[in-house]
Amino acid sequence: MKKHIKGLHHVTSMAADAQVNNAFFTQTLGLRRVKKTVNFDDPGTYHLYYGDKTGTPGSVMTYFPFGQMPKGKRGNGEVGVTEFAVAKDTLGFWQDRLSEQGVTGLSRSTFLGENRLAFDGSDGDGFALVETERSGRTAWTSAGVDEETGILGFHGARFRLNDAAATAELLTFMGYEKDETDGNVTRYRIEDGNAARTIDLEELPGASSAYQGAGSVHHIAFAVENRAAQDEMRKALLDTGYQVTPVIDRDYFHAIYFRTPGGILFEIATNEPGFDRDEDTAHLGEALKLPAMYQPYRSRIESALPVLAQRR
Ligand code: ZN
């Protein structure tokens, strides 16, 4: 099979309060809100997208803020850490900034030669900033974060698993290559893709399973160029025995989903058409965008959603 997977596309997590979530990503982390829409399966809930200037695949963190939702409990069978890339020598800046803003869970470490700063998201999400090469990426600048220090997009993700073997086999099937191991964590990398290219498998035999809630990753999406590549991947996965959904139109990309042996929900999403298909790049994420099926109910939907600060 051709190597269709190009690295990460987006990561989608669950949150409690939409306003807190919006403030954390646009102000504390300085990402751009690139789309304000609703959960296509539940239009009473926002679907918020944060990323770089245009929401380049490999930079997009997305949220369903469900309101009154209990926090998740971290454990096996989930994405344990979502990793953002920053330029070399910027972790000191970030440690000071996050500490001043009351962010918890700050912890510096090194893994496979890369400097990391772990921190908690606003719902206790597991995050890390990792110093790496810029790889041609440009940070969105706002809220006291400049081009030197800004988040470049994803670096990768770390999965927590009871047994890593079946997930390792799946990643290899998807085109990832086994890289180095340090302790109970083995890195897999995708070559010739975007810069969000690593998946680390952390094996924790016998640890308790995750309980999904606010702060948990709902699913992780991998990028393919277009519908044709997605169709080939879908067929290959079905032939291998995976239960894969039909192709679903998410307005800004097309998506297929399948549950993986380690318990994590994977999505494969197309790089096209992108987040600027229905609004100007200069005003991305400002207006509430609705899929066609909900357009007739705009006023009712909009009045039921919390108002979000308009900072870009
Ligand atoms: Zn998704």
Side-chain angles (χ1 to χ4, degrees):
M1 188 175 63
K2 274 174 65 184
K3 292 195 171 178
H4 289 306
I5 300 292
K6 301 299 179 190
L8 295 184
H9 186 286
H10 64 270
V11 177
T12 294
S13 292
M14 296 177 287
D17 188 283
Q19 291 163 331
V20 169
N21 179 257
N22 184 64
F24 189 80
F25 283 89
T26 60
Q27 294 172 41
T28 303
L29 296 186
L31 294 178
R32 185 180 199 192
R33 193 176 73 223
V34 293
K35 194 61 63 184
K36 183 168 74 171
T37 183
V38 294
N39 182 333
F40 286 13
D41 304 313
D42 169 16
T45 300
Y46 275 124
H47 193 180
L48 302 175
Y49 291 74
Y50 310 100
D52 67 5
K53 182 178 179 182
T54 56
T56 307
S59 80
V60 185
M61 186 76 218
T62 100
Y63 274 89
F64 299 128
F66 284 112
Q68 303 294 322
M69 181 186 224
K71 274 195 177 32
K73 191 174 80 61
R74 293 190 201 174
N76 280 350
E78 69 173 354
V79 177
V81 186
T82 302
E83 302 163 340
F84 297 102
V86 290
K88 298 274 170 71
D89 302 318
T90 59
L91 286 188
F93 163 85
W94 279 105
Q95 186 157 12
D96 291 346
R97 178 182 171 88
L98 297 181
S99 173
E100 277 163 19
Q101 300 202 19
V103 173
T104 57
L106 295 173
S107 162
R108 295 274 283 268
S109 63
T110 302
F111 177 71
L112 299 183
E114 296 168 339
N115 297 320
R116 302 164 64 89
L117 171 63
F119 65 99
D120 297 332
S122 43
D123 286 287
D125 323 50
F127 286 129
L129 292 163
V130 182
E131 286 185 353
T132 183
E133 303 303 325
R134 288 184 166 273
S135 302
R137 297 198 281 185
T138 307
W140 176 248
T141 58
S142 75
V145 176
D146 63 17
E147 219 167 277
E148 291 303 305
T149 52
I151 288 173
L152 301 167
F154 291 122
H155 178 263
R158 180 175 294 196
F159 299 173
R160 291 170 203 255
L161 300 165
N162 199 46
D163 175 356
T167 304
E169 192 177 326
L170 171 61
L171 288 176
T172 306
F173 178 74
M174 290 168 63
Y176 280 78
E177 289 173 28
K178 191 175 179 182
D179 194 357
E180 290 179 81
T181 297
D182 182 354
N184 62 338
V185 184
T186 299
R187 171 158 292 183
Y188 289 77
R189 295 170 63 88
I190 202 99
E191 301 300 336
D192 306 322
N194 64 34
R197 62 170 69 96
T198 67
I199 298 290
D200 294 343
L201 302 186
E202 181 174 17
E203 202 167 44
L204 298 154
S208 56
S209 295
Y211 178 79
Q212 294 251 301
S216 304
V217 172
H218 182 269
H219 64 266
I220 182 165
F222 297 84
V224 289
E225 248 356 292
N226 52 38
R227 296 284 303 277
Q230 185 178 53
D231 285 344
E232 277 190 42
M233 282 300 304
R234 184 170 183 276
K235 182 170 186 319
L237 287 162
L238 286 169
D239 288 348
T240 310
Y242 283 97
Q243 306 267 335
V244 189
T245 67
V247 176
I248 301 169
D249 184 353
R250 295 302 189 195
D251 276 9
Y252 311 104
F253 48 86
H254 284 80
I256 56 175
Y257 304 85
F258 60 105
R259 187 69 62 178
T260 65
I264 297 171
L265 183 61
F266 275 17
E267 173 182 342
I268 294 175
T270 55
N271 285 344
E272 56 188 28
F275 295 98
D276 56 0
R277 68 172 286 270
D278 61 356
E279 54 190 341
D280 288 342
T281 304
H283 296 284
L284 279 185
E286 292 178 18
L288 179 67
K289 305 309 274 189
L290 294 175
M293 60 186 167
Y294 297 138
Q295 288 292 1
Y297 315 106
R298 169 172 285 276
S299 60
R300 203 196 316 167
I301 288 171
E302 194 153 22
S303 65
L305 290 166
V307 175
L308 301 181
Q310 198 58 280
R311 184 195 286 269
R312 291 181 288 127

